[in-house]
Amino acid sequence: MNRMPVFPRVIASIAVLLLVVTSGCGGNTSNTGTSPKSENLGTGNKPRRVAVIISTLNNPWFVVLGETARDRAIELGDEATLFDSQNDTAKEAAHFDNVIAAGYTAIIFNPTDADGSIANVKRAKEAGIPVFCIDREINSTDAATAQLLSDNYSGCVELGKYFVESVGEEGSYVELLGLVGDNNTWNRSKGFHSVVDRYPGLKMVAQQSADFDRNKAMEVMESILQSQDDLDAVFCGNDAMAMGAYQALLAAGKADQVRVFGYDGSDDVVTSISQGKIAATVMQYPKVMARTAAEYAHEYLANGKRDFEQKIPVNVDLVTRENIGDFTGFGRKE
Amino acid sequence: MARRRLFLYGGLLIASGIACCFFPLFHIRPLGGERSATGHQSRVADESAPANPAEFAESFWAGPLREGEVATDVTALWKAFEADTSRARSEYGNQAGLGGAWYFCVRGRGIVETVEKNWLILAVAGDSRHVRLDLGVVVDNTVRESLGVKASSFANSQDFNAVSAELNRRVEQKVIAPNRPLLKPGVEVEFVGCARIGGQSDLDPIRLIPIRLSVIANGHSTGADDGGPAP
């Protein structure tokens, strides 16, 4: 067996050691030191590369959001790549590192955490890369270039009014919350409670988080049903949880007795409303948000537009059995 | 032979090094570095944002609302919509974000025709159309949007929404509640109110959430809200 001579082996070992130790140290400093890319954008010589970083692709709603943004960017002649943060702030940070290092020129971003994601956006900004947040906000007005956010509070005010109309002014209900670190969770909850709490006869007997996750919602609902057998309604912070709660109610034989309310306007819930399984949802428009963000990024890169409104609420609509004919999954019928 | 191997391994190492520069295997960061960066960002954002929703609402309540400059005469608004809907919207209204409804701040004077539990109907002099003033619970963003409060002024949308809740609370407690016992058929009132106008059907009656309200007695306003008579 041929063996490497001793001297080259020592050199190689030292070099590998140095490489491993030093390669990870550049994270913040190299990004901070990168020259702003915007200097080259006006010339049109630099390829326009858009990174679409989405909090999770384990939920059909976010898949529509991410794929629409990517596809619209490509339609506009930009390169575009989709990244999945898997609801993990560490993965999200790694995506930003890679995107900055790989020379992307704009980021369309669906954050995992309203506070925890600010540092990532700030690093991209320091590297001269504009960031357009969609659907979920970051708690800052000076890091992102613009933020396109569903008007969740208004949507849940309307949902709350419909909830009172259909359930009545007396009854017991459960609330399933989304991720507790996400502003959307609380804007939806507060909008809903701004109406429902005006009716003392409506009692919330349980309020638990199910992290916007269908399976978790089913487990939480199964657990609640063991101690609450006289429920009238369940308000869920998104449609995935609404479907999970409905499955639990169906298994317990209570699907006809308990009204389920969701939020998002996903395909399966729109179908379920038409079948009378789910009472109502609020239609967000992920395609509108995603397309607009891709168009903003293109305007920034190709035409030099800079005067974006920082936070842009996006209209939402209540969807019930009465107006279900106007809607399809993730939007209005065209 | 040994030299060739040395160049081979050296070349591989250099290539690996370049790859590691672009795709680092890991990052070394100070403990809590991200947290502190986040904290700094939040603090900066907080500094640029309104101090708190209640104070922000108070500044609006005591400023533009008291002066009445934000409102358009109701008959002028009706005429503007008759002439050109798009122009009426852009000239007198505020749109809430992307694809959102249009909101208007409206003032006028009218005679109470009917009073129900949660609203009343006003006849407006010189016009056959009517105004509906809401007198029940106030829960949505109509007041905030009509006044033109911008989401971009707030780092956290929860604070932006809290402004709505605070404005609505003031409307209920300081405008509707004190005037409610005075509002009977035949009474003349001056009003400033907020409207969400989606289409033509929202114009007659035009549905307003009153943000200032006063009863006219012997030609004089006797406003029961803390902002005094409507302009």
Side-chain angles (χ1 to χ4, degrees):
Chain A
M1 185 178 170
N2 286 336
R3 294 199 60 185
M4 197 178 176
V6 173
F7 179 68
R9 264 195 293 160
V10 169
I11 294 285
S13 302
I14 291 170
V16 166
L17 191 66
L18 282 171
L19 259 177
V20 168
V21 168
T22 57
S23 65
C25 296
N28 285 333
T29 50
S30 66
N31 295 337
T32 307
T34 306
S35 299
K37 304 286 191 294
S38 55
E39 288 173 7
N40 297 327
L41 294 176
T43 63
N45 293 330
K46 198 170 178 63
R48 298 187 300 271
R49 300 180 67 203
V50 179
V52 182
I53 303 176
I54 300 294
S55 61
T56 175
L57 295 178
N58 192 30
N59 176 329
W61 194 90
F62 289 103
V63 174
V64 169
L65 188 77
E67 289 183 348
T68 305
R70 180 197 59 194
D71 295 347
R72 182 64 183 140
I74 291 169
E75 273 176 21
L76 292 166
D78 303 337
E79 285 181 44
T81 312
L82 186 57
F83 296 84
D84 179 6
S85 302
Q86 297 174 23
N87 271 334
D88 182 340
T89 50
K91 283 195 174 71
E92 179 183 282
H95 287 326
F96 268 79
D97 289 340
N98 292 336
V99 160
I100 292 167
Y104 281 85
T105 53
I107 299 172
I108 295 172
F109 180 40
N110 172 239
T112 56
D113 189 291
D115 287 314
S117 298
I118 296 173
N120 293 330
V121 178
K122 191 72 176 174
R123 274 188 295 132
K125 184 183 179 185
E126 285 168 355
I129 303 172
V131 179
F132 300 87
C133 293
I134 47 175
D135 175 53
R136 291 180 178 173
E137 77 175 333
I138 53 168
N139 290 335
S140 172
T141 53
D142 62 357
T145 306
Q147 302 189 52
L148 290 143
L149 311 165
S150 283
D151 193 352
N152 291 298
Y153 185 89
S154 294
C156 280
V157 166
E158 294 307 312
L159 189 75
K161 289 178 185 173
Y162 186 75
F163 182 96
V164 176
E165 267 179 45
S166 54
V167 175
E169 296 187 12
E170 289 186 353
S172 301
Y173 71 94
V174 167
E175 180 181 6
L176 297 186
L177 295 164
L179 293 163
V180 293
D182 178 29
N183 283 351
N184 287 353
T185 296
W186 297 111
N187 284 331
R188 290 172 195 177
S189 181
K190 287 176 181 175
F192 175 79
H193 284 287
S194 74
V195 179
V196 175
D197 290 0
R198 299 299 188 93
Y199 300 91
L202 287 168
K203 307 283 187 199
M204 183 171 69
V205 294
Q207 182 189 48
Q208 288 191 41
S209 171
D211 294 343
F212 291 135
D213 183 86
R214 181 174 180 150
N215 292 332
K216 203 170 279 183
M218 190 169 73
E219 289 167 16
V220 169
M221 197 66 218
E222 282 169 352
S223 168
I224 290 170
L225 284 170
Q226 288 174 10
S227 57
Q228 303 288 342
D229 60 353
D230 190 23
L231 286 176
D232 297 292
V234 184
F235 164 57
C236 304
N238 79 343
D239 280 349
M241 294 194 294
M243 291 306 292
Y246 177 78
Q247 278 181 299
L249 289 163
L250 193 65
K254 294 187 174 179
D256 293 335
Q257 169 196 332
V258 183
R259 289 179 175 83
V260 179
F261 298 79
Y263 193 101
D264 272 347
S266 66
D267 219 2
D268 49 2
V269 163
V270 168
T271 303
S272 296
I273 290 172
S274 64
Q275 294 169 342
K277 295 176 181 173
I278 302 286
T281 187
V282 175
M283 179 61 71
Q284 300 193 77
Y285 295 96
K287 293 176 185 174
V288 172
M289 273 188 282
R291 280 194 201 113
T292 308
E295 285 158 11
Y296 280 10
H298 182 78
E299 281 295 302
Y300 187 103
L301 297 176
N303 301 324
K305 180 176 164 63
R306 296 292 183 272
D307 55 336
F308 296 96
E309 184 82 21
Q310 173 57 214
K311 294 201 178 184
I312 304 157
V314 179
N315 183 49
V316 296
D317 286 308
L318 179 69
V319 182
T320 67
R321 207 158 182 198
E322 288 77 39
N323 66 358
I324 191 70
D326 297 338
F327 296 93
T328 181
F330 311 110
R332 276 188 181 273
K333 282 183 181 166
E334 292 176 2
Chain B
M1 191 68 182
R3 179 167 289 205
R4 279 184 61 195
R5 279 207 186 124
L6 184 61
F7 280 124
L8 178 67
Y9 286 120
L12 281 172
L13 280 170
I14 290 165
S16 305
I18 291 167
C20 283
C21 283
F22 284 102
F23 303 103
L25 301 173
F26 60 89
H27 293 290
I28 296 171
R29 300 171 193 273
L31 285 172
E34 195 157 311
R35 184 181 295 276
S36 63
T38 300
H40 171 69
Q41 277 304 299
S42 298
R43 198 165 57 250
V44 169
D46 287 348
E47 283 164 4
S48 65
N52 72 56
E55 284 177 17
F56 190 85
E58 172 59 29
S59 69
F60 254 81
W61 199 261
L65 295 193
R66 187 175 291 272
E67 291 154 14
E69 291 174 352
V70 291
T72 306
D73 184 82
V74 66
T75 52
L77 187 68
W78 278 329
K79 284 175 184 165
F81 265 95
E82 273 176 2
D84 185 339
T85 298
S86 299
R87 190 170 172 189
R89 284 174 173 164
S90 58
E91 195 165 340
Y92 299 116
N94 295 309
Q95 188 176 29
L98 195 66
W102 286 86
Y103 294 87
F104 298 80
C105 206
V106 182
R107 65 184 156 81
R109 183 185 279 215
I111 307 285
V112 177
E113 282 193 348
T114 55
V115 182
E116 300 291 337
K117 182 185 170 192
N118 290 325
W119 74 84
L120 63 76
I121 297 291
L122 291 175
V124 176
D127 205 299
S128 60
R129 287 165 285 205
H130 291 80
V131 170
R132 173 184 147 155
L133 288 184
D134 282 356
L135 302 175
V137 295
V138 182
V139 290
D140 64 13
N141 294 328
T142 298
V143 175
R144 185 191 69 191
E145 306 299 3
S146 299
L147 299 176
V149 182
K150 293 288 181 192
S152 296
S153 303
F154 298 84
N156 185 327
S157 56
Q158 292 187 60
D159 292 336
F160 179 51
N161 292 325
V163 168
S164 248
E166 178 61 21
L167 287 169
N168 292 345
R169 186 190 67 78
R170 283 167 183 264
V171 167
E172 286 185 20
Q173 294 182 358
K174 300 189 174 187
V175 180
I176 295 175
N179 280 294
R180 190 70 178 79
L182 309 174
L183 299 170
K184 297 178 172 58
V187 166
E188 185 175 17
V189 298
E190 278 187 322
F191 60 84
V192 177
C194 298
R196 180 185 194 273
I197 301 178
Q200 291 295 322
S201 60
D202 294 327
L203 289 169
D204 186 22
I206 184 169
R207 182 177 173 176
L208 302 178
I209 295 170
I211 55 175
R212 300 194 61 190
L213 192 58
S214 52
V215 172
I216 310 293
N218 302 320
H220 300 289
S221 294
T222 56
D225 63 299
D226 69 345

